[in-house]
Amino acid sequence: MSDQPPVHPPVQSGLSIYRRLLSYVKPHRKVFLISLLGMVVLAGTEAGFAYLMKPIMDSGFVNHDPVSVRTIPLYLIALFLLRGLASYASSFGMQWVGRGVIADMRAQLFSHYLQLPAGYFDQRNSGDLISVITFNIEQVAIAITNAITILVRDSLTALALLGLMFYHSGLLTLTVLLIGPIVGLVIYKISHRYRKISKNVQHSMGTVTHITQEVIDGQRVVKTFGGHDYERHRFDEVNQNNRQQYLKMTSTQSISVSFVQFLAATVLAAIIYMATRDEASSIATPGAFISFITAMLLLMPTLKRLTTVNQSLQRGITAAESVFEILDTDPEPDKGTKQLGRVRGVVQYQNIDFTYSGSHERVLKDICFKMSAGETVAIVGRSGSGKSTLVNLLPRFYDSTKGKILVDGHNIHDYSLFDLREQISLVSQHVTLFNDTVARNIDYGQLEQTDESRIIAAAEAAHAMEFIRELPDGIHTLVGEDGLNLSGGQRQRLAIARALLKNAPILILDEATSALDTESERLVQQGLEELMENRTTLVIAHRLSTVEKADRILVLDSGQLVESGTHTELLEKNGHYAALYRMQFQDD
Ligand SMILES: Nc1ncnc2c1ncn2[C@@H]1O[C@H](COP(=O)(O)OP(=O)(O)O)[C@@H](O)[C@H]1O
Ligand SMILES: [Mg+2]
């Protein structure tokens, strides 16, 4: 985004949302003005066309004036040429602005998603967040450009047409203005009823789908429990209901069309009656009368559109609200300024307390420990004891509620988030692969700057080359959205290769191999050992061999650090670890 919209207070009125939306139009204001100008011209040509009816009738047909007969067709062509240009300028211009606003807003929101804290995503449904960037933003632009178009083009058109009508006959115009709203109200009532019925049709269609789906998905239950008659009966009811609603809708539709036409004819008849009978209201010439009627007919759809402008505005504002609400959420706090090259990897947790936002339970309680550079520390504990939470504080996915974490002697808050995270590689149970080649997935985030030989070396060390070679295009094979049908072990080895290539001094392994079967785990294990060498490693493991080899083991229980020591020391102690060992690792 080039133009960053100004900061706004969190409580938003419709007006302030509207003002904020206009700030998105600002960068496109030139095209916006051209589009508005197009609308002014359009309104003029609409009235111009109605006006032309008079000379066409009077000079052309009634008086057969030879000059007019030649010039009027030319006027008509010129008018519609102008109208075409204006129409193009106004609608293309509006689209230009609208699509521009959509693209800017999307870019801004996307970039904001990249910066929102992990806790934000915990509390929200990813589908909702995606639909804000696709559906809501689209709605905002469509509704607002629609509203602007109607507001400017149609109100100007209405004014111009009304002006023309008054010019021809004030009294007739007043009559139209008097009857018009009554007719409008009747039409509104009819269309309201129509909408209600068509909603019923939709609903009954939904029930048909619902029952059918139940029967298809649950066909085994239907078969074994003999539910055929019950289902047939149930379906028959909704099937008939659907038919009835449809017929009702069709009937309403055809009656209303005839009725509206009848009403319009009545109004027309009244005007013809007045125009021909009453001296005071009579119109000067037949041409003026036709011109008047044309203006009146053109006025109708214009007025109809004007009544929907508020609806459009409201829809746009509601959609905008959800967009702005996200944009106003604070990004991850990132205030550190301390320069950081490559750390040695001394990690220290000091009196760390942690509570997830929106919960009261302290997940971590007064955690204290220190790791020297290159040390491997295993964290064990029952599921839910806070192991993942503990390691997630280090890359600052969450910030501790109390206490501090030091890396190489400095509070991690003193470093910029980017620098801090550069020091850390994380491999967890869930491997995220992106829709790109194997190489780009291993070299993720490096914008294709890494030497291919280094990527291959990393894959080799992670024991991933073994299967990558078998792929159709080797490391240039597209992984695709479905992950190429890679097995869990293969995906895991790609994640290890990714971490190896990153070559960060601190490594976090969060149950990296727990989703694998024994065979793939053995393969992955070799890669992991490669990765742990010479790095400060925090490993959450469920596998005895990893835990045994660790320099130290920390035992977590309900968020408390209850024991610490080597495998042998802790077994001798015969406390928490010994109990865990008997329960979890017995099979190894
Ligand atoms: N994103 C989250 N939001 C709220 N509570 C969470 C979140 N993640 C984990 N918890 C809770 O925190 C506790 C510790 O979880 P976790 O650190 O994942 O344990 P472990 O990794 O040891 O299984 C659990 O009670 C869990 O329900
Ligand atoms: Mg966990």
Side-chain angles (χ1 to χ4, degrees):
M1 267 284 316
S2 47
D3 284 52
Q4 205 71 26
V7 182
H8 290 262
V11 183
Q12 303 186 322
S13 66
L15 193 68
S16 80
I17 290 182
Y18 197 61
R19 233 183 264 136
R20 192 166 171 185
L21 276 173
L22 277 183
S23 75
Y24 284 89
V25 175
K26 242 185 180 172
H28 312 284
R29 59 181 168 276
K30 273 190 202 136
V31 182
F32 186 65
L33 285 177
I34 292 175
S35 166
L36 291 188
L37 191 70
M39 290 180 196
V40 175
V41 175
L42 257 185
T45 56
E46 191 108 346
F49 173 68
Y51 177 76
L52 262 189
M53 286 297 149
K54 183 170 162 2
I56 288 175
M57 291 308 291
D58 291 346
S59 314
F61 286 100
V62 181
N63 299 330
H64 298 291
D65 171 26
V67 181
S68 302
V69 167
R70 253 178 284 128
T71 51
I72 288 173
L74 291 182
Y75 280 142
L76 202 62
I77 287 173
L79 186 76
F80 272 80
L81 190 67
L82 185 64
R83 189 182 160 77
L85 288 176
S87 167
Y88 179 79
S90 74
S91 50
F92 185 70
M94 253 313 141
Q95 278 298 316
W96 172 288
V97 175
R99 295 327 293 187
V101 169
I102 289 177
D104 291 348
M105 234 182 203
R106 279 203 178 127
Q108 200 191 7
L109 192 60
F110 185 80
S111 146
H112 203 66
Y113 278 163
L114 289 174
Q115 291 170 358
L116 283 171
Y120 183 85
F121 296 99
D122 291 344
Q123 287 163 12
R124 277 160 192 86
N125 182 310
S126 65
D128 292 346
L129 293 178
I130 291 168
S131 94
V132 171
I133 210 170
T134 52
F135 181 72
N136 285 35
I137 287 184
E138 199 85 20
Q139 280 288 303
V140 171
I142 290 174
I144 298 298
T145 50
N146 210 355
I148 292 174
T149 307
I150 293 176
L151 219 56
V152 177
R153 189 194 62 199
D154 287 311
S155 58
L156 286 179
T157 307
L159 279 180
L161 289 172
L162 276 174
L164 181 67
M165 286 163 72
F166 262 107
Y167 167 75
H168 287 314
S169 162
L171 194 66
L172 275 190
T173 310
L174 285 178
T175 314
V176 170
L177 286 182
L178 216 68
I179 314 176
I182 301 171
V183 175
L185 192 72
V186 173
I187 294 175
Y188 171 79
K189 286 278 178 214
I190 292 175
S191 66
H192 185 71
R193 181 177 154 76
Y194 178 71
R195 264 206 302 278
K196 213 170 102 185
I197 297 176
S198 70
K199 216 176 251 170
N200 287 346
V201 169
Q202 261 172 34
H203 177 76
S204 75
M205 206 59 222
T207 334
V208 169
T209 314
H210 179 75
I211 294 184
T212 311
Q213 185 165 18
E214 263 183 14
V215 166
I216 292 171
D217 292 345
Q219 46 111 357
R220 281 161 202 268
V221 181
V222 175
K223 284 190 173 83
T224 43
F225 288 88
H228 304 76
D229 283 341
Y230 167 70
E231 295 296 351
R232 227 174 261 128
H233 181 72
R234 216 155 65 109
F235 189 77
D236 201 40
E237 233 168 69
V238 297
N239 201 17
Q240 288 305 326
N241 180 266
N242 180 251
R243 173 172 167 263
Q244 275 162 11
Q245 295 295 342
Y246 240 106
L247 289 179
K248 210 162 149 186
M249 183 171 81
T250 316
S251 152
T252 312
Q253 189 177 25
S254 30
I255 289 180
S256 65
V257 168
S258 312
F259 190 64
V260 168
Q261 282 173 352
F262 175 73
L263 272 181
T266 315
V267 174
L268 197 63
I271 287 169
I272 293 172
Y273 178 76
M274 283 184 69
T276 46
R277 278 286 297 264
D278 194 351
E279 279 297 312
S281 69
S282 71
I283 278 183
T285 64
F289 179 70
I290 298 291
S291 173
F292 182 88
I293 296 293
T294 309
M296 188 183 81
L297 292 178
L298 289 176
L299 186 63
M300 282 184 191
T302 306
L303 290 180
K304 197 174 158 205
R305 277 197 296 272
L306 274 172
T307 58
T308 64
V309 71
N310 188 45
Q311 206 182 330
S312 259
L313 268 180
Q314 288 309 322
R315 203 177 318 133
I317 283 176
T318 313
E321 233 166 355
S322 55
V323 176
F324 291 152
E325 193 185 286
I326 297 176
L327 286 177
D328 289 340
T329 308
D330 289 332
E332 291 182 288
D334 186 10
K335 301 227 170 67
T337 51
K338 198 165 181 52
Q339 291 294 315
L340 188 58
R342 184 183 172 88
V343 295
R344 288 188 303 124
V346 180
V347 175
Q348 191 171 6
Y349 277 57
Q350 288 185 343
N351 310 95
I352 292 294
D353 267 20
F354 183 75
T355 307
Y356 280 104
S357 68
S359 130
H360 299 293
E361 200 191 347
R362 269 163 75 209
V363 175
L364 294 176
K365 297 161 195 159
D366 201 33
I367 303 286
C368 293
F369 68 92
K370 186 173 176 179
M371 298 165 73
S372 42
E375 193 182 11
T376 296
V377 167
I379 302 171
V380 299
R382 284 191 306 243
S383 163
S385 55
K387 305 182 294 294
S388 298
T389 309
L390 181 79
V391 298
N392 282 338
L393 295 183
L394 191 54
R396 289 189 61 198
F397 292 150
Y398 304 93
D399 282 331
S400 63
T401 339
K402 229 177 71 193
K404 54 186 174 186
I405 300 175
L406 310 179
V407 168
D408 277 15
H410 293 287
N411 194 327
I412 50 176
H413 286 253
D414 295 341
Y415 306 122
S416 74
L417 277 177
F418 181 82
D419 280 359
L420 173 71
R421 290 171 181 170
E422 275 292 288
Q423 314 299 322
I424 301 170
S425 277
L426 190 144
V427 182
S428 70
Q429 186 177 336
H430 305 285
V431 180
T432 306
L433 295 179
F434 297 86
N435 186 8
D436 207 333
T437 62
V438 170
R440 293 277 79 75
N441 265 289
I442 295 176
D443 189 29
Y444 180 70
Q446 297 307 308
L447 302 173
E448 316 197 5
Q449 277 161 10
T450 314
D451 230 33
E452 202 169 297
S453 61
R454 287 188 51 215
I455 299 176
I456 293 176
E460 202 80 66
H463 295 267
M465 252 351 253
E466 289 148 45
F467 72 86
I468 294 175
R469 267 190 211 99
E470 309 284 310
L471 298 175
D473 296 316
I475 60 167
H476 300 297
T477 310
L478 262 179
V479 173
E481 281 166 53
D482 50 359
L484 238 187
N485 295 329
L486 293 174
S487 76
Q490 291 170 331
R491 297 168 67 94
Q492 206 58 257
R493 280 180 275 168
L494 285 185
I496 293 169
R498 187 186 277 167
L500 272 168
L501 190 62
K502 185 173 179 186
N503 191 24
I506 299 172
L507 174 66
I508 297 173
L509 302 173
D510 187 353
E511 311 209 27
T513 58
S514 66
L516 305 183
D517 55 78
T518 331
E519 184 51 39
S520 11
E521 191 174 350
R522 237 177 279 282
L523 283 166
V524 171
Q525 201 63 32
Q526 296 169 319
L528 276 181
E529 274 160 27
E530 205 92 34
L531 186 58
M532 287 160 72
E533 218 158 89
N534 300 324
R535 286 173 224 273
T536 307
T537 308
L538 267 166
V539 54
I540 301 176
H542 70 138
R543 202 181 144 86
L544 179 63
S545 63
T546 319
V547 177
E548 265 180 333
K549 275 186 210 152
D551 299 314
R552 197 151 37 111
I553 300 165
L554 304 179
V555 185
L556 265 187
D557 189 52
S558 312
Q560 265 169 323
L561 202 54
V562 287
E563 280 176 20
S564 153
T566 62
H567 175 67
T568 347
E569 282 167 13
L570 290 179
L571 274 191
E572 266 168 26
K573 209 169 173 187
N574 203 17
H576 284 85
Y577 180 75
L580 259 178
Y581 171 76
R582 281 193 295 273
M583 255 169 41
Q584 265 187 23
F585 303 132
Q586 217 41 264
D587 301 340
D588 276 286

